[in-house]
Amino acid sequence: MRAFNTKLKQKSLEDALLGLSSLLHLTVSNVGRCPPEELLRPCRCEYRSDNWQWITAKFTRFVCGEESEEDLRMQYVLNANRTREQFAFSSTRRLQIYFERLSENLGKLGWQKRFDEFVLQNSPISELPRNLFHDLTFYGVKFDNCPELTAVHPQAFQATEQFIEELYIRRTRLGNERWKLRDTFNAITSLTNLRSLYLIESGLQVVKKEILEAKKEPNSNQKSLLSSSPSPTTPSAR
């Protein structure tokens, strides 16, 4: 990192920016714009602004899912003619198709496909399938209150895995069967630029040491990996 047109020494500039992992990518390389609303339904894109000293950053946040837990419960009622498994599977497939079509429509407009954050909330999806986001990329990904979510494909974040800096998973039922644990851990460890990991009431009873420890790389001191759950989470043996 080099400092240009500034009175700060290079080291001082680096120290000032170390705590800005969420701002740094935006100020350096990514100034995103929300696509037209009609392309995004039923999801939406919104802006969130953060201020840090002399820097004002505008973030783009993709939000999908129901507005509240009550809305999610209503969806179960409206789909009572199907089992929860059928409803969850169809919801997963609809989200996958949504990103495929959105990518195609953004491409026709010549619109950039990189955004700051994706949030899926109050959703009945059952799985994070392979390459969920198609060719859209995000720096932060959050799954909040997805009570049917039990599985993660090892290549779920395929297109965006090198960009994701924060992964947040809360109130899910991620499976602890050996193959499901393997796939979930492979998906998480594929995120080469991951700085923060939050597992809160995720259903996982075991978290590998490899996930909790920063990789032995030159920039490993800039990573912060966290695990949180209502009950003690036991690191597995290597």
Side-chain angles (χ1 to χ4, degrees), residues 167 195-200 207 211-212 224-228:
L167 178 62
R195 294 170 182 268
S196 299
L197 170 65
Y198 299 92
L199 301 174
I200 304 171
V207 176
I211 295 178
L212 296 177
S224 174
L225 303 182
L226 304 176
S227 176
S228 175

Side-chain angles (χ1 to χ4, degrees), residues 33-63:
R33 293 183 300 142
C34 283
E37 183 179 347
E38 57 270 18
L39 289 184
L40 301 179
R41 298 188 186 98
C43 300
R44 68 181 187 275
C45 181
E46 58 192 26
Y47 293 108
R48 176 175 63 83
S49 295
D50 275 356
N51 297 312
W52 188 84
Q53 293 189 9
W54 65 91
I55 299 175
T56 298
K58 181 185 288 186
F59 293 85
T60 49
R61 175 190 284 163
F62 246 80
V63 182

Side-chain angles (χ1 to χ4, degrees), residues 142-155:
K142 296 184 179 183
F143 301 97
D144 193 1
N145 191 35
C146 300
E148 308 300 328
L149 181 57
T150 61
V152 180
H153 191 281
Q155 295 177 310

